């Protein structure tokens, strides 16, 4: 079992804009003084350039176009509604924002099958939306696939019971904690675990200062260290530049890369970059419009495909 994959699913935007339904608890989103059409145009240019950079190092990027009729401003972040697993299972997740639920499309599964992947079973958690419980995919859950450990920072978008249910279904050991950020002088839950933490094969990048509870912080570090991961810490200020929102992928000849945005890369100190590059090269791309309006970054845009070949 590998922690990383060479195949990534990405959704090319057609209606990208600031999503008013997610802004209530995604404190990374900001208003931008542009018309929606301009915002989408800029986001599409960033998206295309990012895809080209991934393909240039040999990552297999499957690009599926968004469906304009669905009016889904956040479809560029598919990792929140779906995850693909090595045994052929697919998980579909309950989403906080009603307009994000329209992102779940059978066409995506048909495309992957057309690309030669085998889907055995779909585990559907989406009925939890009716009761007001949410768990937003690998935004909420960080999977250590090799050691079968799942990390989750609880928030309005990450329900503990649902997370435990996922862990039982997929045979992961749960590590639950709370991660906060300072908003207008208050400590409030960070909306997704994957903005404060990244798991790579031999290391983890994490904003430990967001875990206010010392016992929980110790527990997270202990789990990372006992699985042989070098812990590389970032500050809350760097996290706000999406320095936690990174993903390690495989390129040509199985070479590993840590993928992040230009903003994340620019926020890191030389010593932090050196620590990362002792494990693998960094690949960065400018995602300014996507980060500002969407409140998500490079990792959110990539849904990892671990499915077996048919």
């Amino acid at each position: 079992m590998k922690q990383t994959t060479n195949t990534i699913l990405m959704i090319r935007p057609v209606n990208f804009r600031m999503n008013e339904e997610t802004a209530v608890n995604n404190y990374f989103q900001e208003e931008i003084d542009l018309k929606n059409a301009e915002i989408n145009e800029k986001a599409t240019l960033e998206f295309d350039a990012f895809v080209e950079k991934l393909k240039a190092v040999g990552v297999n990027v499957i690009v599926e176009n968004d469906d304009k009729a669905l009016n889904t401003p956040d479809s560029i972040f598919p990792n929140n509604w779906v995850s693909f697993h090595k045994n052929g299972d697919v998980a579909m997740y309950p989403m906080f924002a009603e307009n994000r639920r329209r992102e779940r499309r059978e066409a995506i599964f048909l495309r992957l099958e057309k690309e030669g992947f085998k889907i055995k079973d779909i585990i559907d958690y989406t009925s939890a939306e009716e009761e007001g419980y949410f768990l937003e995919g690998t935004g909420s859950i960080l999977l250590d696939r090799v050691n079968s450990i799942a990390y989750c920072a609880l928030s309005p978008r990450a329900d503990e019971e649902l997370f435990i249910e996922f862990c039982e279904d997929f045979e992961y050991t749960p590590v639950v904690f709370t991660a906060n950020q300072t908003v207008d002088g208050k400590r409030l839950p960070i909306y997704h675990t994957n903005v404060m933490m990244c798991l790579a094969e031999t290391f983890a990048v994490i904003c430990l200062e967001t875990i206010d509870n010392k016992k929980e912080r110790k527990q997270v570090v202990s789990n990372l260290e006992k699985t042989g991961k070098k812990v590389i810490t970032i500050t809350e200020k760097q996290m706000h530049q999406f320095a936690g929102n990174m993903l390690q992928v495989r390129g040509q000849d199985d070479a590993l890369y840590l993928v992040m945005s230009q903003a994340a890369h620019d926020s890191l100190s030389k010593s932090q970059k050196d620590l990362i590059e002792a494990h693998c090269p960094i690949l960065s791309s400018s995602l300014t419009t996507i980060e500002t309006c969407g409140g998500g970054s490079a990792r959110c845009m990539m849904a990892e495909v671990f499915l077996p070949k048919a």
Side-chain angles (χ1 to χ4, degrees):
M1 182 63 205
K2 285 178 177 170
Q3 176 63 22
T4 50
T5 177
N6 172 255
T7 304
I8 300 294
L9 168 75
M10 295 178 70
I11 309 295
R12 195 167 188 267
V14 293
N15 269 315
F16 181 80
R17 63 176 192 275
M18 179 165 172
N19 186 349
E20 60 292 341
E21 291 186 23
T22 56
V24 293
N25 56 22
N26 178 344
Y27 309 112
F28 289 76
Q29 285 174 254
E30 292 174 39
E31 293 277 3
I32 193 167
D33 191 21
L34 287 174
K35 290 190 171 72
N36 286 341
E38 289 177 83
I39 291 171
N40 187 74
E41 192 180 331
K42 279 177 174 280
T44 306
L45 289 172
E46 291 172 3
F47 177 92
D48 290 343
F50 184 26
V51 168
E52 282 313 306
K53 285 190 178 184
L54 289 166
K55 286 181 172 178
V57 297
V59 180
N60 176 27
V61 186
I62 298 168
V63 177
E64 181 72 14
N65 286 314
D66 188 14
D67 182 340
K68 193 159 192 174
L70 294 172
N71 190 17
T72 43
D74 280 337
S75 61
I76 200 167
F77 306 131
N79 80 311
N80 298 148
W81 70 264
V82 69
S83 62
F84 305 103
H85 301 264
K86 198 179 189 312
N87 63 353
D89 284 349
V90 172
M92 281 172 57
Y93 298 95
M95 309 281 280
F96 170 82
E98 284 184 33
N99 64 7
R100 292 211 63 189
R101 297 169 195 174
R102 299 194 291 271
E103 293 172 30
R104 301 186 293 244
R105 293 190 286 143
E106 195 189 354
I108 307 292
F109 303 148
L110 296 173
R111 172 72 190 276
L112 288 172
E113 286 175 333
K114 194 177 160 192
E115 295 283 341
F117 292 98
K118 187 179 175 188
I119 293 173
K120 185 186 78 180
D121 202 6
I122 294 177
I123 293 92
D124 189 344
Y125 298 100
T126 60
S127 63
E129 288 165 352
E130 293 156 30
E131 274 91 56
Y133 297 112
F134 313 105
L135 187 68
E136 296 194 333
T138 54
S140 300
I141 308 167
L142 259 68
L143 299 174
D144 179 341
R145 293 172 189 265
V146 176
N147 299 292
S148 300
I149 297 172
Y151 297 83
C152 180
L154 301 180
S155 79
R157 306 203 202 176
D159 177 74
E160 185 168 7
E161 281 182 34
L162 264 181
F163 172 57
I164 300 297
E165 186 184 334
F166 166 87
C167 289
E168 285 170 356
D169 291 345
F170 284 85
E171 298 180 350
Y172 278 85
T173 302
V175 177
V176 179
F177 58 99
T178 302
N180 295 312
Q181 65 190 113
T182 300
V183 181
D184 300 329
K186 293 186 196 129
R187 294 296 275 169
L188 298 174
I190 292 167
Y191 79 109
H192 278 161
T193 315
N194 77 0
V195 293
M196 54 75 64
M197 182 177 178
C198 154
L199 282 180
E201 290 198 351
T202 51
F203 65 98
V205 177
I206 183 167
C207 184
L208 287 175
E209 59 190 53
T210 61
I211 308 175
D212 297 336
N213 182 304
K214 282 181 184 167
K215 192 177 168 189
E216 288 183 354
R217 193 185 311 157
K218 207 170 171 181
Q219 180 201 21
V220 170
V221 172
S222 161
N223 274 284
L224 292 170
E225 288 178 343
K226 83 176 183 197
T227 51
K229 296 201 190 298
K230 166 81 176 163
V231 176
I232 301 170
T233 58
I234 55 169
T235 65
E236 197 170 320
K237 190 176 177 186
Q238 289 172 321
M239 179 191 75
H240 277 278
Q241 296 301 311
F242 296 97
N245 197 243
M246 308 161 163
L247 182 68
Q248 194 178 42
V249 299
R250 287 180 176 271
Q252 197 170 348
D253 302 326
D254 259 0
L256 290 166
Y257 297 87
L258 188 66
V259 182
M260 64 186 75
S261 71
Q262 192 62 48
H265 182 267
D266 293 348
S267 78
L268 296 173
S269 67
K270 184 185 182 301
S271 62
Q272 287 168 318
K273 287 174 197 166
D274 288 346
L275 284 169
I276 290 166
E277 286 170 339
H279 298 268
C280 68
I282 291 170
L283 187 144
S284 62
S285 197
S286 176
L287 302 170
T288 308
T289 313
I290 292 165
E291 288 175 329
T292 307
C293 295
S297 186
R299 195 279 166 265
C300 305
M301 295 168 68
M302 298 180 281
E304 302 154 279
V305 180
F306 285 90
L307 295 169
K309 283 286 192 174

PDB file of all heavy atoms in Angstrom, residues 105-123:
ATOM      1  N   ARG A 105     -21.518  13.799  -8.959  1.00  0.00           N
ATOM      2  CA  ARG A 105     -22.062  13.430 -10.274  1.00  0.00           C
ATOM      3  C   ARG A 105     -21.603  12.043 -10.686  1.00  0.00           C
ATOM      4  O   ARG A 105     -20.423  11.711 -10.593  1.00  0.00           O
ATOM      5  CB  ARG A 105     -21.586  14.424 -11.339  1.00  0.00           C
ATOM      6  CG  ARG A 105     -22.135  15.815 -11.194  1.00  0.00           C
ATOM      7  CD  ARG A 105     -21.808  16.636 -12.426  1.00  0.00           C
ATOM      8  NE  ARG A 105     -20.413  17.032 -12.499  1.00  0.00           N
ATOM      9  CZ  ARG A 105     -19.710  17.088 -13.619  1.00  0.00           C
ATOM     10  NH1 ARG A 105     -20.244  16.732 -14.773  1.00  0.00           N
ATOM     11  NH2 ARG A 105     -18.453  17.472 -13.608  1.00  0.00           N
ATOM     12  N   GLU A 106     -22.542  11.282 -11.190  1.00  0.00           N
ATOM     13  CA  GLU A 106     -22.217   9.935 -11.674  1.00  0.00           C
ATOM     14  C   GLU A 106     -21.251  10.003 -12.859  1.00  0.00           C
ATOM     15  O   GLU A 106     -20.455   9.102 -13.084  1.00  0.00           O
ATOM     16  CB  GLU A 106     -23.507   9.200 -12.078  1.00  0.00           C
ATOM     17  CG  GLU A 106     -23.291   7.713 -12.238  1.00  0.00           C
ATOM     18  CD  GLU A 106     -24.496   6.995 -12.845  1.00  0.00           C
ATOM     19  OE1 GLU A 106     -25.542   7.624 -13.042  1.00  0.00           O
ATOM     20  OE2 GLU A 106     -24.344   5.794 -13.115  1.00  0.00           O
ATOM     21  N   ALA A 107     -21.316  11.100 -13.613  1.00  0.00           N
ATOM     22  CA  ALA A 107     -20.451  11.270 -14.788  1.00  0.00           C
ATOM     23  C   ALA A 107     -18.972  11.131 -14.425  1.00  0.00           C
ATOM     24  O   ALA A 107     -18.170  10.650 -15.230  1.00  0.00           O
ATOM     25  CB  ALA A 107     -20.699  12.647 -15.412  1.00  0.00           C
ATOM     26  N   ILE A 108     -18.638  11.538 -13.205  1.00  0.00           N
ATOM     27  CA  ILE A 108     -17.240  11.437 -12.745  1.00  0.00           C
ATOM     28  C   ILE A 108     -16.821   9.969 -12.659  1.00  0.00           C
ATOM     29  O   ILE A 108     -15.729   9.584 -13.083  1.00  0.00           O
ATOM     30  CB  ILE A 108     -17.066  12.123 -11.372  1.00  0.00           C
ATOM     31  CG1 ILE A 108     -17.587  13.559 -11.374  1.00  0.00           C
ATOM     32  CG2 ILE A 108     -15.618  12.030 -10.884  1.00  0.00           C
ATOM     33  CD1 ILE A 108     -16.815  14.544 -12.195  1.00  0.00           C
ATOM     34  N   PHE A 109     -17.720   9.144 -12.115  1.00  0.00           N
ATOM     35  CA  PHE A 109     -17.409   7.714 -11.975  1.00  0.00           C
ATOM     36  C   PHE A 109     -17.308   7.040 -13.349  1.00  0.00           C
ATOM     37  O   PHE A 109     -16.428   6.210 -13.580  1.00  0.00           O
ATOM     38  CB  PHE A 109     -18.466   7.011 -11.108  1.00  0.00           C
ATOM     39  CG  PHE A 109     -18.620   7.610  -9.732  1.00  0.00           C
ATOM     40  CD1 PHE A 109     -19.839   7.597  -9.091  1.00  0.00           C
ATOM     41  CD2 PHE A 109     -17.537   8.206  -9.095  1.00  0.00           C
ATOM     42  CE1 PHE A 109     -19.987   8.150  -7.819  1.00  0.00           C
ATOM     43  CE2 PHE A 109     -17.674   8.768  -7.831  1.00  0.00           C
ATOM     44  CZ  PHE A 109     -18.903   8.736  -7.195  1.00  0.00           C
ATOM     45  N   LEU A 110     -18.211   7.431 -14.242  1.00  0.00           N
ATOM     46  CA  LEU A 110     -18.187   6.872 -15.605  1.00  0.00           C
ATOM     47  C   LEU A 110     -16.878   7.241 -16.310  1.00  0.00           C
ATOM     48  O   LEU A 110     -16.286   6.434 -17.024  1.00  0.00           O
ATOM     49  CB  LEU A 110     -19.393   7.369 -16.414  1.00  0.00           C
ATOM     50  CG  LEU A 110     -20.767   6.929 -15.886  1.00  0.00           C
ATOM     51  CD1 LEU A 110     -21.885   7.609 -16.668  1.00  0.00           C
ATOM     52  CD2 LEU A 110     -20.926   5.403 -15.961  1.00  0.00           C
ATOM     53  N   ARG A 111     -16.416   8.468 -16.077  1.00  0.00           N
ATOM     54  CA  ARG A 111     -15.159   8.922 -16.676  1.00  0.00           C
ATOM     55  C   ARG A 111     -13.978   8.078 -16.172  1.00  0.00           C
ATOM     56  O   ARG A 111     -13.115   7.667 -16.952  1.00  0.00           O
ATOM     57  CB  ARG A 111     -14.948  10.411 -16.350  1.00  0.00           C
ATOM     58  CG  ARG A 111     -13.582  10.960 -16.746  1.00  0.00           C
ATOM     59  CD  ARG A 111     -13.448  11.107 -18.271  1.00  0.00           C
ATOM     60  NE  ARG A 111     -12.073  11.394 -18.651  1.00  0.00           N
ATOM     61  CZ  ARG A 111     -11.517  12.594 -18.651  1.00  0.00           C
ATOM     62  NH1 ARG A 111     -12.232  13.659 -18.287  1.00  0.00           N
ATOM     63  NH2 ARG A 111     -10.268  12.749 -19.022  1.00  0.00           N
ATOM     64  N   LEU A 112     -13.957   7.818 -14.868  1.00  0.00           N
ATOM     65  CA  LEU A 112     -12.859   7.022 -14.307  1.00  0.00           C
ATOM     66  C   LEU A 112     -12.881   5.594 -14.843  1.00  0.00           C
ATOM     67  O   LEU A 112     -11.831   5.016 -15.150  1.00  0.00           O
ATOM     68  CB  LEU A 112     -12.915   7.029 -12.773  1.00  0.00           C
ATOM     69  CG  LEU A 112     -12.522   8.367 -12.123  1.00  0.00           C
ATOM     70  CD1 LEU A 112     -12.793   8.337 -10.634  1.00  0.00           C
ATOM     71  CD2 LEU A 112     -11.058   8.697 -12.380  1.00  0.00           C
ATOM     72  N   GLU A 113     -14.083   5.048 -14.996  1.00  0.00           N
ATOM     73  CA  GLU A 113     -14.197   3.694 -15.571  1.00  0.00           C
ATOM     74  C   GLU A 113     -13.723   3.700 -17.025  1.00  0.00           C
ATOM     75  O   GLU A 113     -13.052   2.771 -17.472  1.00  0.00           O
ATOM     76  CB  GLU A 113     -15.638   3.188 -15.437  1.00  0.00           C
ATOM     77  CG  GLU A 113     -15.963   2.799 -14.001  1.00  0.00           C
ATOM     78  CD  GLU A 113     -17.413   2.401 -13.772  1.00  0.00           C
ATOM     79  OE1 GLU A 113     -18.300   2.861 -14.520  1.00  0.00           O
ATOM     80  OE2 GLU A 113     -17.657   1.628 -12.827  1.00  0.00           O
ATOM     81  N   LYS A 114     -14.050   4.760 -17.730  1.00  0.00           N
ATOM     82  CA  LYS A 114     -13.605   4.906 -19.112  1.00  0.00           C
ATOM     83  C   LYS A 114     -12.073   4.991 -19.191  1.00  0.00           C
ATOM     84  O   LYS A 114     -11.451   4.558 -20.155  1.00  0.00           O
ATOM     85  CB  LYS A 114     -14.238   6.181 -19.703  1.00  0.00           C
ATOM     86  CG  LYS A 114     -14.146   6.281 -21.217  1.00  0.00           C
ATOM     87  CD  LYS A 114     -14.860   7.536 -21.686  1.00  0.00           C
ATOM     88  CE  LYS A 114     -14.398   7.940 -23.073  1.00  0.00           C
ATOM     89  NZ  LYS A 114     -14.844   9.283 -23.457  1.00  0.00           N
ATOM     90  N   GLU A 115     -11.480   5.581 -18.142  1.00  0.00           N
ATOM     91  CA  GLU A 115     -10.020   5.699 -18.067  1.00  0.00           C
ATOM     92  C   GLU A 115      -9.362   4.386 -17.627  1.00  0.00           C
ATOM     93  O   GLU A 115      -8.146   4.321 -17.461  1.00  0.00           O
ATOM     94  CB  GLU A 115      -9.622   6.819 -17.088  1.00  0.00           C
ATOM     95  CG  GLU A 115     -10.047   8.213 -17.507  1.00  0.00           C
ATOM     96  CD  GLU A 115      -9.169   8.827 -18.588  1.00  0.00           C
ATOM     97  OE1 GLU A 115      -8.030   8.355 -18.776  1.00  0.00           O
ATOM     98  OE2 GLU A 115      -9.638   9.771 -19.261  1.00  0.00           O
ATOM     99  N   GLY A 116     -10.204   3.353 -17.400  1.00  0.00           N
ATOM    100  CA  GLY A 116      -9.650   2.034 -17.093  1.00  0.00           C
ATOM    101  C   GLY A 116      -9.603   1.670 -15.613  1.00  0.00           C
ATOM    102  O   GLY A 116      -8.964   0.684 -15.222  1.00  0.00           O
ATOM    103  N   PHE A 117     -10.288   2.452 -14.766  1.00  0.00           N
ATOM    104  CA  PHE A 117     -10.300   2.145 -13.337  1.00  0.00           C
ATOM    105  C   PHE A 117     -11.543   1.343 -12.964  1.00  0.00           C
ATOM    106  O   PHE A 117     -12.587   1.466 -13.599  1.00  0.00           O
ATOM    107  CB  PHE A 117     -10.235   3.436 -12.508  1.00  0.00           C
ATOM    108  CG  PHE A 117      -8.913   4.126 -12.633  1.00  0.00           C
ATOM    109  CD1 PHE A 117      -8.742   5.189 -13.527  1.00  0.00           C
ATOM    110  CD2 PHE A 117      -7.813   3.711 -11.895  1.00  0.00           C
ATOM    111  CE1 PHE A 117      -7.521   5.819 -13.669  1.00  0.00           C
ATOM    112  CE2 PHE A 117      -6.582   4.342 -12.023  1.00  0.00           C
ATOM    113  CZ  PHE A 117      -6.435   5.389 -12.920  1.00  0.00           C
ATOM    114  N   LYS A 118     -11.393   0.545 -11.920  1.00  0.00           N
ATOM    115  CA  LYS A 118     -12.483  -0.336 -11.508  1.00  0.00           C
ATOM    116  C   LYS A 118     -13.115   0.176 -10.210  1.00  0.00           C
ATOM    117  O   LYS A 118     -12.422   0.366  -9.204  1.00  0.00           O
ATOM    118  CB  LYS A 118     -11.910  -1.742 -11.275  1.00  0.00           C
ATOM    119  CG  LYS A 118     -12.945  -2.801 -11.009  1.00  0.00           C
ATOM    120  CD  LYS A 118     -12.275  -4.149 -10.825  1.00  0.00           C
ATOM    121  CE  LYS A 118     -13.286  -5.203 -10.428  1.00  0.00           C
ATOM    122  NZ  LYS A 118     -12.617  -6.460 -10.077  1.00  0.00           N
ATOM    123  N   ILE A 119     -14.427   0.417 -10.247  1.00  0.00           N
ATOM    124  CA  ILE A 119     -15.167   0.814  -9.046  1.00  0.00           C
ATOM    125  C   ILE A 119     -15.980  -0.396  -8.587  1.00  0.00           C
ATOM    126  O   ILE A 119     -16.826  -0.903  -9.316  1.00  0.00           O
ATOM    127  CB  ILE A 119     -16.082   2.025  -9.329  1.00  0.00           C
ATOM    128  CG1 ILE A 119     -15.216   3.259  -9.628  1.00  0.00           C
ATOM    129  CG2 ILE A 119     -17.013   2.295  -8.149  1.00  0.00           C
ATOM    130  CD1 ILE A 119     -15.982   4.482 -10.076  1.00  0.00           C
ATOM    131  N   LYS A 120     -15.688  -0.843  -7.386  1.00  0.00           N
ATOM    132  CA  LYS A 120     -16.342  -2.048  -6.873  1.00  0.00           C
ATOM    133  C   LYS A 120     -17.620  -1.698  -6.117  1.00  0.00           C
ATOM    134  O   LYS A 120     -18.673  -2.268  -6.323  1.00  0.00           O
ATOM    135  CB  LYS A 120     -15.353  -2.789  -5.947  1.00  0.00           C
ATOM    136  CG  LYS A 120     -15.844  -4.136  -5.435  1.00  0.00           C
ATOM    137  CD  LYS A 120     -14.878  -4.732  -4.411  1.00  0.00           C
ATOM    138  CE  LYS A 120     -15.068  -4.070  -3.068  1.00  0.00           C
ATOM    139  NZ  LYS A 120     -14.196  -4.551  -2.004  1.00  0.00           N
ATOM    140  N   ASP A 121     -17.513  -0.706  -5.231  1.00  0.00           N
ATOM    141  CA  ASP A 121     -18.626  -0.397  -4.342  1.00  0.00           C
ATOM    142  C   ASP A 121     -18.626   1.092  -4.015  1.00  0.00           C
ATOM    143  O   ASP A 121     -17.564   1.700  -3.921  1.00  0.00           O
ATOM    144  CB  ASP A 121     -18.445  -1.211  -3.047  1.00  0.00           C
ATOM    145  CG  ASP A 121     -19.753  -1.407  -2.299  1.00  0.00           C
ATOM    146  OD1 ASP A 121     -20.802  -1.010  -2.854  1.00  0.00           O
ATOM    147  OD2 ASP A 121     -19.730  -1.934  -1.175  1.00  0.00           O
ATOM    148  N   ILE A 122     -19.820   1.664  -3.838  1.00  0.00           N
ATOM    149  CA  ILE A 122     -19.916   3.070  -3.416  1.00  0.00           C
ATOM    150  C   ILE A 122     -20.497   3.117  -2.009  1.00  0.00           C
ATOM    151  O   ILE A 122     -21.603   2.626  -1.769  1.00  0.00           O
ATOM    152  CB  ILE A 122     -20.768   3.899  -4.400  1.00  0.00           C
ATOM    153  CG1 ILE A 122     -20.044   3.974  -5.762  1.00  0.00           C
ATOM    154  CG2 ILE A 122     -21.018   5.308  -3.852  1.00  0.00           C
ATOM    155  CD1 ILE A 122     -20.790   4.686  -6.861  1.00  0.00           C
ATOM    156  N   ILE A 123     -19.713   3.653  -1.083  1.00  0.00           N
ATOM    157  CA  ILE A 123     -20.173   3.802   0.300  1.00  0.00           C
ATOM    158  C   ILE A 123     -20.657   5.241   0.433  1.00  0.00           C
ATOM    159  O   ILE A 123     -19.882   6.185   0.300  1.00  0.00           O
ATOM    160  CB  ILE A 123     -19.052   3.476   1.319  1.00  0.00           C
ATOM    161  CG1 ILE A 123     -18.693   1.982   1.248  1.00  0.00           C
ATOM    162  CG2 ILE A 123     -19.490   3.776   2.739  1.00  0.00           C
ATOM    163  CD1 ILE A 123     -17.607   1.650   0.336  1.00  0.00           C
TER     164      ILE A 123
END
